[in-house]
């Protein structure tokens, strides 16, 4: 019946959590510039998927505003760097704040009783509206030409350096994943799931459901907004097209392949689906076909995503929504 | 007897339909008060009006003299009136332990920021709540199920876990909406024993909707009989047994 980790497995989990980023610290020594660029993009995808999964998986709301949060973060970073001369690294938390604001706006729809397919449509419209704004607010966003990120150095190294970017992206990703895990393994994480399972019963337990919904959307927006700021620096030039339906579908696939509502799943889904197209380049002309087939195969074999496979292998990967000890 | 909960002239009207018609009653500490009546009598509306899910059109709900009538469900729950649901309110995808912990949400300390940053205050409070939840499960001999998915439990076990979750925060008042429905005769007797123990040992005031008249007659201290949204009788089980209005309206024979 029980699939819970023993204390030893819990310590192993903690070791694993820190071992992965620790090992990644050495990655730039073992890789070439191209792979480094791909891995940097992977870290961004991890954050985008994590924020998305939180809302559609844990909170159970069919909200697709994550592309909007991503764009808001990227444009906030670009505008603050280029127009106001704020050092890029400082625009990362600011982009997170703008993303959180976007999340707050999206939650207003859910809180006004717009749910299910209606919430899906209205949040999709929000994303398209933002894209329209990037295209038409030309003096601010550069319109179709987009916005180049200004040249900048940190510690005397140019911010176009992928190794430097990697360490910054890794630090931001680890911080946000750890913060999200802290939130999930607490009364907040339980309340988020409770709203998904039975909102009426949740309120009867003295849980302010409206505040829980608002906070979940805002945190999701913050995580994805920060990812937007990283993305702006990653590609060096922000275009409206980066924040359309393709981006949305890609992150939706990452959420599902990894496992809805699982932090581990968000990481796995993002890593696999970012890496996969690179391997498929060996089959020119067949890339999309293979990509689609692999995604479909994973979902048919594991409807609960890659995370469920790991859970079956060992209780070390069982996700709990409480925290006993440190 | 200390007065816990009191309603005065509580009414709920939905566009022309009177679902609750000026119902007044009181609930004392340690008292089990059953609410009975045929389908559509307004029993669930009474529960919803007390717990804030339906706004009363008129009348008031007082907990220890404090007016609760305009508060939202989560605020009323925080004031100390907790309830269960007729169709079961457990969160099936959460474990038994996690379910009980949701009942301790308001008691768990630490702000959003404390939790986010993993500050000691939040972690210590969380650990204390986990210990409390495990103790409560043990008391009901459910501790061996702590890590099971709530949706995998039997109907009777789910009802018991829901009660544990509802009483975890030590609320002075409990509203139980058909806690024994769908249970085996043995589990029903067990449930009634749990209810009487909560009232007798912890002094909880319990309002109980139950269809099985014999269970009600055995378990309740006082009974409120409703029909068509209104109170038609009130008294001890012995008095209700003899009441003409009840026999006519509810038990169906005069």
């Amino acid at each position: 019946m029980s699939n819970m980790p023993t204390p030893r497995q819990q310590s192993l989990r903690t070791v694993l959590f820190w071992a992965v980023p620790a090992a990644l610290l050495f990655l730039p020594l073992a890789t070439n510039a191209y792979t480094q660029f791909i891995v940097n993009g992977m870290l961004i995808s991890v954050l985008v998927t994590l924020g998305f999964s939180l809302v559609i998986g844990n909170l159970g709301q069919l909200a697709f505003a994550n592309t909007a949060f991503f764009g808001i973060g990227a444009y906030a970073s670009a505008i603050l760097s280029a127009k106001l001369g704020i050092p890029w690294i400082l625009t990362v938390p600011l982009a997170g704040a703008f993303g959180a604001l976007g999340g707050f706006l999206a939650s207003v729809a859910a809180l006004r009783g717009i749910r299910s397919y209606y919430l899906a449509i209205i949040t999709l419209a929000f994303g398209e509206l933002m894209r329209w704004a990037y295209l038409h607010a030309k003096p601010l966003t550069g319109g179709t030409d987009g916005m180049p990120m200004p040249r900048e150095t940190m510690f005397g190294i140019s911010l176009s350096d992928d190794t430097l970017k990697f360490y910054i992206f890794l630090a931001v990703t680890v911080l946000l994943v750890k913060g999200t895990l802290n939130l999930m393994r607490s009364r907040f994480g339980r309340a988020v799931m409770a709203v998904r399972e039975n909102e009426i019963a949740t309120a009867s337990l003295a849980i302010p459901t409206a505040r829980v919904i608002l906070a979940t959307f805002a945190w999701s927006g913050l995580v994805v907004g920060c990812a937007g700021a990283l993305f702006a620096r990653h590609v060096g030039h922000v275009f409206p097209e980066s924040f359309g339906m393709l981006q949305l579908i890609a992150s939706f696939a990452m959420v599902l392949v990894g496992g809805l509502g699982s932090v581990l799943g968000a990481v796995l889904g993002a890593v696999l689906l970012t890496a996969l197209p690179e391997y498929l380049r060996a089959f020119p002309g067949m890339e999309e076909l293979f990509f689609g087939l692999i995604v479909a195969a994973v979902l048919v074999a594991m409807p609960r995503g890659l995370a469920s496979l790991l859970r079956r292998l060992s209780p070390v990967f069982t996700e709990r929504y409480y925290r006993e000890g440190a | 007897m200390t007065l816990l909960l009191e309603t005065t002239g509580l009414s709920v009207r939905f566009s022309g339909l009177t679902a609750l018609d000026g119902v007044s009653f009181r609930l004392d500490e340690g008292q089990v008060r059953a609410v009975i009546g045929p389908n559509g009598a307004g029993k669930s509306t009474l529960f919803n009006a007390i717990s804030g899910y339906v706004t009363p059109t008129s009348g008031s709900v007082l907990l220890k003299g404090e007016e609760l009538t305009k508060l939202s469900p989560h605020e009323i729950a925080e004031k100390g009136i907790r309830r269960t649901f007729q169709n079961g309110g457990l969160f099936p995808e959460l474990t038994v332990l996690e379910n009980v912990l949701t009942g301790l949400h308001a008691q768990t300390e630490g702000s959003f920021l404390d939790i986010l940053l993993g500050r000691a205050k939040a972690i210590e409070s969380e650990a204390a709540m986990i210990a409390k939840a495990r103790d409560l499960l043990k008391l009901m001999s459910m501790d061996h199920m702590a890590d099971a998915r709530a949706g995998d439990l039997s109907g009777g076990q789910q009802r018991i876990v829901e009660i544990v979750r509802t009483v975890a925060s030590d609320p002075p008042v409990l509203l139980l909406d058909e806690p024994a429905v769908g249970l085996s005769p043995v589990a029903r007797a067990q449930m009634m024993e749990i209810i009487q123990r909560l009232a007798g040992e912890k002094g909880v005031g319990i309002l109980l909707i139950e269809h099985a008249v014999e269970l009600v007659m055995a378990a309740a201290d006082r009974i409120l009989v409703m029909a068509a949204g209104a109170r038609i009788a009130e008294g001890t089980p012995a008095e209700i047994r003899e009441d003409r209005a009840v026999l006519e309206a509810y038990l169906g024979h005069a």
Side-chain angles (χ1 to χ4, degrees):
Chain A
M1 177 71 78
S2 164
N3 189 32
M4 284 288 143
T6 60
R8 235 188 87 225
Q9 287 171 324
Q10 282 183 36
S11 335
L12 177 59
R13 188 213 312 266
T14 311
V15 171
L16 274 178
F17 178 86
W18 293 108
V20 173
L24 282 175
L25 286 176
F26 299 98
L27 183 83
L29 301 174
T31 191
N32 60 34
Y34 181 72
T35 311
Q36 187 65 66
F37 181 79
I38 301 300
V39 172
N40 289 1
M42 230 174 237
L43 292 171
I44 293 168
S45 293
V46 165
L47 293 180
V48 172
T49 310
L50 181 67
F52 199 8
S53 181
L54 207 58
V55 168
I56 58 173
N58 298 77
L59 189 63
Q61 296 298 318
L62 215 50
F64 294 107
N66 277 68
T67 307
F69 308 156
F70 193 43
I72 289 170
Y75 271 99
S77 174
I79 292 167
L80 292 170
S81 312
K83 308 276 181 193
L84 299 178
I86 297 175
W88 169 75
I89 191 73
L90 296 181
T91 72
V92 178
L94 291 171
F98 278 102
L101 190 67
F104 169 74
L105 288 177
S107 79
V108 171
L111 292 176
R112 305 217 68 183
I114 299 165
R115 295 291 168 91
S116 178
Y117 306 120
Y118 302 96
L119 185 64
I121 275 298
I122 206 163
T123 47
L124 283 172
F126 180 38
E128 287 305 292
L129 180 73
M130 287 313 299
R131 215 161 58 86
W132 181 88
Y134 311 142
L135 280 169
H136 290 88
K138 214 167 171 163
L140 205 58
T141 63
T144 40
D145 298 335
M147 284 190 81
M149 292 296 286
R151 282 171 198 284
E152 204 181 304
T153 59
M154 255 179 89
F155 318 115
I157 305 169
S158 164
L159 267 179
S160 60
D161 182 274
D162 276 324
T163 305
L164 174 63
K165 279 193 266 187
F166 171 71
Y167 286 118
I168 296 170
F169 290 9
L170 183 64
V172 173
T173 305
V174 169
L175 277 177
L176 290 174
V177 170
K178 178 66 183 152
T180 304
L181 273 175
N182 284 353
L183 289 176
M184 286 300 104
R185 293 164 58 189
S186 77
R187 66 171 176 153
F188 177 74
R190 293 187 292 271
V192 171
M193 310 271 288
V195 166
R196 179 190 76 194
E197 302 276 293
N198 188 338
E199 197 170 337
I200 289 172
T202 305
S204 81
L205 300 166
I207 299 175
T209 51
R211 280 222 299 271
V212 170
I213 292 171
L214 194 155
T216 311
F217 270 94
W219 179 253
S220 165
L222 184 142
V223 170
V224 180
C226 289
L230 303 189
F231 180 75
R233 194 41 91 180
H234 177 57
V235 292
H237 198 124
V238 180
F239 290 106
E241 288 71 44
S242 305
F243 312 106
M245 285 295 163
L246 273 179
Q247 196 277 331
L248 179 69
I249 291 165
S251 41
F252 195 33
M254 288 175 192
V255 171
L256 293 177
V257 165
L260 261 176
S262 155
V263 172
L264 176 65
V267 176
L268 295 174
V271 169
L272 179 77
L273 293 197
T274 315
L276 197 57
E278 302 307 321
Y279 288 104
L280 293 178
R281 271 179 219 284
F283 311 94
M286 306 289 273
E287 294 159 79
E288 284 86 357
L289 179 68
F290 285 158
F291 186 84
L293 283 175
I294 289 170
V295 169
V298 170
L299 291 179
V300 168
M302 296 171 264
R304 293 180 151 231
L306 294 168
S308 70
L309 179 72
L310 286 186
R311 273 199 294 275
R312 240 176 291 154
L313 288 177
S314 164
V316 172
F317 299 107
T318 301
E319 279 168 86
R320 303 159 310 158
Y321 297 92
Y322 59 93
R323 184 170 179 171
E324 218 155 16
Chain B
M1 283 282 186
T2 320
L3 174 65
L4 286 177
L5 179 71
E6 189 178 18
T7 71
T8 48
L10 203 59
S11 298
V12 173
R13 273 179 278 279
F14 304 112
S15 55
L17 174 86
T18 302
L20 204 60
D21 192 3
V23 174
S24 304
F25 74 91
R26 50 181 284 163
L27 180 70
D28 294 326
E29 203 176 289
Q31 192 179 53
V32 178
R33 174 184 284 281
V35 183
I36 63 172
N39 284 329
K43 304 183 297 291
S44 289
T45 308
L46 175 67
F47 267 34
N48 287 338
I50 295 170
S51 52
Y53 287 94
V54 173
T55 312
T57 321
S58 60
S60 62
V61 178
L62 301 168
L63 178 68
K64 295 178 186 166
E66 190 186 353
E67 172 86 50
L68 301 183
T69 321
K70 296 283 175 233
L71 299 183
S72 58
H74 76 87
E75 289 168 327
I76 291 173
E78 196 162 350
K79 294 280 182 193
I81 301 179
R82 298 278 173 123
R83 65 169 294 177
T84 63
F85 293 86
Q86 196 178 339
N87 304 318
L90 278 192
F91 309 124
E93 292 291 331
L94 295 185
T95 66
V96 167
L97 180 67
E98 287 160 359
N99 264 283
V100 176
L101 287 170
T102 59
L104 290 161
H105 185 91
Q107 278 67 38
T108 317
E109 286 170 44
S111 64
F112 185 87
L113 203 63
D114 292 332
I115 295 169
L116 176 65
L117 301 176
R119 285 186 180 145
K121 184 184 177 190
I123 291 176
E124 281 160 17
S125 177
E126 170 91 358
M129 292 304 144
I130 292 169
K132 180 167 187 187
R134 288 196 189 283
D135 285 347
L136 287 167
L137 286 170
K138 201 165 193 169
L139 223 58
M140 296 283 185
S141 314
M142 290 294 294
D143 46 327
H144 62 294
M145 302 295 269
D147 294 329
R149 187 179 158 276
D152 291 339
L153 267 53
S154 73
Q157 290 171 324
Q158 291 196 17
R159 293 277 170 188
I160 290 173
V161 173
E162 194 178 357
I163 302 261
V164 173
R165 186 180 75 177
T166 313
V167 299
S169 61
D170 298 318
V173 173
L174 268 185
L175 315 183
L176 304 178
D177 197 347
E178 297 197 39
V181 74
L183 299 190
S184 69
V186 178
R188 277 166 171 251
Q190 222 176 0
M191 181 59 75
M192 288 302 143
E193 194 201 313
I194 291 170
I195 290 168
Q196 285 181 311
R197 250 173 54 200
L198 282 169
E201 291 169 20
K202 293 184 137 191
V204 183
I206 297 173
L207 199 59
L208 170 71
I209 295 180
E210 185 51 62
H211 274 298
V213 176
E214 284 319 306
L215 278 180
V216 164
M217 292 291 172
D221 302 312
R222 295 194 76 85
I223 297 175
L224 175 72
V225 189
M226 294 178 65
R231 158 181 160 167
I232 59 166
E234 198 279 333
T236 63
E239 288 164 0
I240 294 301
R241 246 185 241 283
E242 303 302 318
D243 194 292
R244 267 198 83 77
V246 176
L247 294 176
E248 280 167 17
Y250 181 50
L251 301 174
H253 47 85

